[in-house]
Amino acid sequence: MEFKQTLKQRANQVESLLKEYMPSEEGYQKTIMESMNYSLSAGGKRLRPILTMEACKVVGGNVEDVIPFAMAIEMIHTYSLIHDDLPALDNDDLRRGKKTNHIVYGEDMAILAGDALLNYAFEVMLSNSIDKENPNKYLKAMNEIAKTSGIYGMIGGQVVDIQSENKQISKEKLDYIHNNKTAAIIIGCMRAGAIIGDAKQEQLDKITKYAKNIGLSFQIVDDILDIVGDESKLGKKVGSDIENHKSTYPSLIGLDESKNIAYDLIQEAKDSINSINKETKFLSDLADYIIDREY
Amino acid sequence: MEFKQTLKQRANQVESLLKEYMPSEEGYQKTIMESMNYSLSAGGKRLRPILTMEACKVVGGNVEDVIPFAMAIEMIHTYSLIHDDLPALDNDDLRRGKKTNHIVYGEDMAILAGDALLNYAFEVMLSNSIDKENPNKYLKAMNEIAKTSGIYGMIGGQVVDIQSENKQISKEKLDYIHNNKTAAIIIGCMRAGAIIGDAKQEQLDKITKYAKNIGLSFQIVDDILDIVGDESKLGKKVGSDIENHKSTYPSLIGLDESKNIAYDLIQEAKDSINSINKETKFLSDLADYIIDREY
């Protein structure tokens, strides 16, 4: 319970920062800014920006330097949700209890708002990297984010997920989807944070392992919760994976084995991050939180 | 006629380079690479990459350095066409005589292929900028491209264009659309090329003026050709602006005055570029080509 409050505080901090980085709603093209900001303001746990900033902090970096990158990550995450919700993809009218972007602004504007947020993420990172002391470091950090957001990361995972609908797939393919659709961008944002924080190679490796493990565990726990979760606590319907004949960790290797793997991944993540020998309590608690969510 | 051949040669050179920079079609996510490459290979004049490279050359820069940026610009241009053609936007089944992306790969994949191309453009620029001698220069160049592709450039222009359909608009607003939908990205890519070519401020200003003028003139000529153009030469239907009650230069200020403005803009563009006192014949001829296209 206490950690949940810490997490909520961090999310609130991200909310305030986001407001500073959102484009002003003005000019002939005002509608697109409104549409972008509508989805950016729609809430969520803000895990990715929190992790970006914490990765920088944990290696002794200056968190101020990484804020534009944390904001950019949330913009990229938000664009992917807007496009995911479109009629041609998941066709969702609601997200977190609010109308989805295309329901409010129309499909045309929602497509452009997604494009605009992806583009704006790079505008924010770039304009805050020019003329800094170590420009190469910022290029490297941006490259981590770009790589893990694209066809060798998040988009790649989405594509394979879409093509696997209503099909039995191998565990190898399921791991590909989990690792790319969710874990990749967590790895990318934490590596970016650590690089900007001047992480040593060893620290960077440890953070990468942590990010990879919590990312995969997060998805496995999602699979598990779809079977054993409490709808009222989750705030969403359970059992939809079975209904949609979706291959999941429990369907491929059983519920108990899935729980064991999710647990082991979290243990390894904690060991990895704690071996950095800095103030890693927040990231360690966060790893526990991922597996303890609601079962 | 001779310049058209030079232009075709340059376009062929871009085609070969693009092949080197396209993602390999492999892995579980292969379909998305196929979809991206389908549209990247669909032809076109390749004006933007040609201009990027020429801007670098004309200030005495090393064209090799700018090639990844020229390829990225074409990826950004291509993504904007894929998304423009979607049913929720222009709903076009054909482009340059070929089926549009969503007709071949489906709407879901076309949305993701557009996203992927925009993201990949930054991947290509970033991975080719890291560990270079002057990283700040590459950050600046990328920033020019990001800025002019987003809500303060191309996307902004698209939004206002969509919202102005079937409406009478002011010349000020029409200029906003023309300057942002087309000219902005031409300015962005030429400035990026010049910056990577180590342009002096004075050279950069002259190139910016050239880019701005040919960009706007290009759109005015498009407006004019929709009235006086020869369908067989243009390869597209004329008269569609009048049919769609679209505000254009000729509808707002008359045909003759539009021609005068387009001509003056080109003259100024040529004066600006020629005053650089380098080998500017190609860019000067290109300016003439824009206005002489087919009327």
Side-chain angles (χ1 to χ4, degrees):
Chain A
M1 187 57 193
E2 208 190 306
F3 181 70
K4 266 195 179 170
Q5 279 165 350
T6 309
L7 207 56
K8 184 72 196 136
Q9 265 172 8
R10 297 280 183 113
N12 289 341
Q13 191 194 354
V14 171
E15 301 286 339
S16 316
L17 286 168
L18 261 179
K19 283 196 180 65
E20 290 173 35
Y21 280 83
M22 283 179 193
S24 330
E25 299 173 359
E26 58 189 19
Y28 285 130
Q29 75 279 47
K30 195 178 158 188
T31 314
I32 190 85
M33 284 91 159
E34 289 170 356
S35 170
M36 294 160 80
N37 293 347
Y38 173 80
S39 291
L40 272 177
S41 316
K45 292 195 197 72
R46 311 299 191 186
L47 269 187
R48 292 157 192 80
I50 291 171
L51 287 169
T52 311
M53 294 194 273
E54 195 63 21
C56 178
K57 203 193 281 177
V58 101
V59 298
N62 179 4
V63 178
E64 287 295 313
D65 293 340
V66 92
I67 288 172
F69 285 71
M71 301 301 110
I73 274 292
E74 193 65 10
M75 289 171 191
I76 292 174
H77 176 56
T78 304
Y79 111 76
S80 78
L81 300 181
I82 295 176
H83 281 187
D84 252 6
D85 288 337
L86 285 167
L89 287 119
D90 288 351
N91 195 20
D92 280 319
D93 293 355
L94 291 173
R95 176 174 290 275
R96 301 190 194 112
K98 285 183 75 177
K99 285 180 186 161
T100 47
N101 197 294
H102 64 273
I103 296 294
V104 181
Y105 292 95
E107 249 184 276
D108 52 356
M109 221 40 79
I111 292 168
L112 291 173
D115 297 346
L117 276 169
L118 173 56
N119 197 90
Y120 203 65
F122 286 99
E123 290 176 69
V124 165
M125 289 188 283
L126 285 161
S127 60
N128 285 286
S129 298
I130 292 170
D131 295 333
K132 287 276 179 96
E133 216 173 292
N134 181 352
N136 201 45
K137 166 171 104 175
Y138 293 92
L139 282 171
K140 281 185 181 167
M142 235 178 293
N143 189 43
E144 295 287 342
I145 288 169
K147 224 171 45 188
T148 52
S149 302
I151 49 175
Y152 303 110
M154 184 182 73
I155 295 177
Q158 282 174 311
V159 168
V160 182
D161 193 29
I162 289 171
Q163 292 183 324
S164 305
E165 267 166 29
N166 295 309
K167 274 183 203 156
Q168 283 296 312
I169 58 169
S170 66
K171 179 159 173 302
E172 197 196 345
K173 205 173 205 173
L174 182 63
D175 276 333
Y176 173 89
I177 297 172
H178 283 356
N179 282 327
N180 285 283
K181 212 182 155 191
T182 309
I185 213 172
I186 292 177
I187 298 170
C189 75
M190 290 194 80
R191 284 180 63 90
I195 288 169
I196 293 174
D198 294 316
K200 296 188 193 87
Q201 187 58 49
E202 198 198 336
Q203 294 174 322
L204 194 56
D205 292 342
K206 286 174 178 175
I207 282 174
T208 306
K209 172 149 202 187
Y210 172 88
K212 200 170 149 60
N213 280 28
I214 65 164
L216 180 54
S217 185
F218 190 92
Q219 280 298 130
I220 298 174
V221 172
D222 260 5
D223 286 356
I224 295 170
L225 288 175
D226 195 69
I227 297 176
V228 304
D230 180 330
E231 286 195 3
S232 65
K233 281 186 194 164
L234 285 170
K236 65 177 178 186
K237 224 174 135 272
V238 303
S240 64
D241 290 342
I242 295 171
E243 218 170 90
N244 298 329
H245 310 285
K246 216 173 164 174
S247 293
T248 62
Y249 256 71
S251 81
L252 290 178
I253 61 166
L255 193 58
D256 287 343
E257 184 59 10
S258 302
K259 284 183 184 176
N260 287 340
I261 292 179
Y263 179 82
D264 289 346
L265 286 166
I266 292 300
Q267 272 313 115
E268 280 176 29
K270 285 163 63 181
D271 290 347
S272 180
I273 205 72
N274 289 333
S275 69
I276 288 186
N277 289 324
K278 298 263 184 180
E279 279 180 43
T280 53
K281 187 175 181 329
F282 177 80
L283 288 177
S284 187
D285 288 351
L286 181 61
D288 280 331
Y289 163 76
I290 280 171
I291 204 157
D292 291 338
R293 277 185 292 165
E294 359 264 318
Y295 74 99
Chain B
M1 185 60 193
E2 207 189 308
F3 181 71
K4 265 196 180 170
Q5 280 166 350
T6 310
L7 208 55
K8 184 75 197 133
Q9 266 173 10
R10 298 281 184 112
N12 289 341
Q13 190 195 355
V14 171
E15 300 286 339
S16 317
L17 286 168
L18 261 178
K19 283 195 181 64
E20 291 173 33
Y21 281 83
M22 283 179 193
S24 334
E25 298 173 0
E26 57 189 18
Y28 285 131
Q29 76 279 46
K30 194 178 159 189
T31 315
I32 190 84
M33 284 91 157
E34 289 170 357
S35 170
M36 293 160 79
N37 293 346
Y38 172 79
S39 291
L40 272 177
S41 317
K45 293 196 195 71
R46 311 297 191 188
L47 270 186
R48 291 156 193 79
I50 291 171
L51 287 169
T52 311
M53 293 195 274
E54 195 63 22
C56 178
K57 202 192 282 176
V58 101
V59 299
N62 178 4
V63 178
E64 286 295 314
D65 293 340
V66 90
I67 288 172
F69 284 70
M71 300 301 110
I73 274 291
E74 194 65 9
M75 290 171 190
I76 291 174
H77 176 57
T78 303
Y79 112 76
S80 79
L81 300 181
I82 296 176
H83 281 186
D84 251 6
D85 289 336
L86 286 167
L89 286 119
D90 287 352
N91 195 21
D92 280 320
D93 293 356
L94 291 171
R95 176 174 289 276
R96 299 189 194 111
K98 286 183 75 176
K99 284 180 187 164
T100 46
N101 198 293
H102 65 273
I103 297 295
V104 181
Y105 293 94
E107 249 183 275
D108 51 356
M109 220 42 79
I111 293 168
L112 291 173
D115 297 346
L117 276 169
L118 173 55
N119 198 90
Y120 203 64
F122 285 100
E123 290 176 69
V124 165
M125 290 187 283
L126 285 162
S127 60
N128 285 286
S129 298
I130 291 170
D131 295 333
K132 287 275 179 96
E133 215 172 294
N134 181 354
N136 200 46
K137 166 171 103 175
Y138 293 92
L139 283 170
K140 280 185 181 167
M142 235 178 293
N143 189 44
E144 294 287 342
I145 288 169
K147 224 171 45 186
T148 52
S149 301
I151 50 175
Y152 303 111
M154 184 182 73
I155 296 178
Q158 283 174 310
V159 168
V160 182
D161 193 27
I162 290 171
Q163 293 183 324
S164 304
E165 267 166 28
N166 295 309
K167 274 183 205 158
Q168 283 297 312
I169 58 169
S170 66
K171 177 158 174 301
E172 197 196 345
K173 204 174 205 173
L174 181 63
D175 277 332
Y176 173 89
I177 297 172
H178 284 355
N179 282 327
N180 285 282
K181 211 182 154 189
T182 309
I185 213 171
I186 293 178
I187 298 171
C189 76
M190 291 195 80
R191 284 180 62 91
I195 288 168
I196 293 175
D198 293 317
K200 298 189 194 85
Q201 187 59 50
E202 200 198 335
Q203 294 175 322
L204 193 57
D205 292 342
K206 286 174 177 174
I207 283 174
T208 307
K209 174 151 200 184
Y210 171 88
K212 198 170 151 59
N213 279 27
I214 65 163
L216 179 55
S217 186
F218 190 92
Q219 280 297 130
I220 298 174
V221 172
D222 260 6
D223 286 356
I224 295 171
L225 288 175
D226 195 68
I227 297 177
V228 304
D230 180 330
E231 285 195 4
S232 65
K233 283 187 192 162
L234 285 171
K236 65 177 177 186
K237 223 173 137 274
V238 302
S240 65
D241 289 343
I242 294 171
E243 217 170 271
N244 299 328
H245 310 286
K246 217 173 163 175
S247 294
T248 63
Y249 256 71
S251 80
L252 290 179
I253 62 166
L255 193 58
D256 288 340
E257 184 59 11
S258 302
K259 283 183 183 174
N260 288 340
I261 292 179
Y263 179 82
D264 289 346
L265 286 166
I266 292 300
Q267 270 314 114
E268 281 177 28
K270 285 164 63 181
D271 291 346
S272 180
I273 205 72
N274 289 332
S275 69
I276 287 187
N277 290 323
K278 299 261 184 180
E279 279 179 44
T280 53
K281 188 175 180 328
F282 178 81
L283 288 177
S284 187
D285 287 350
L286 180 61
D288 280 332
Y289 163 77
I290 280 169
I291 203 157
D292 291 337
R293 275 184 293 164
E294 358 265 317
Y295 73 99

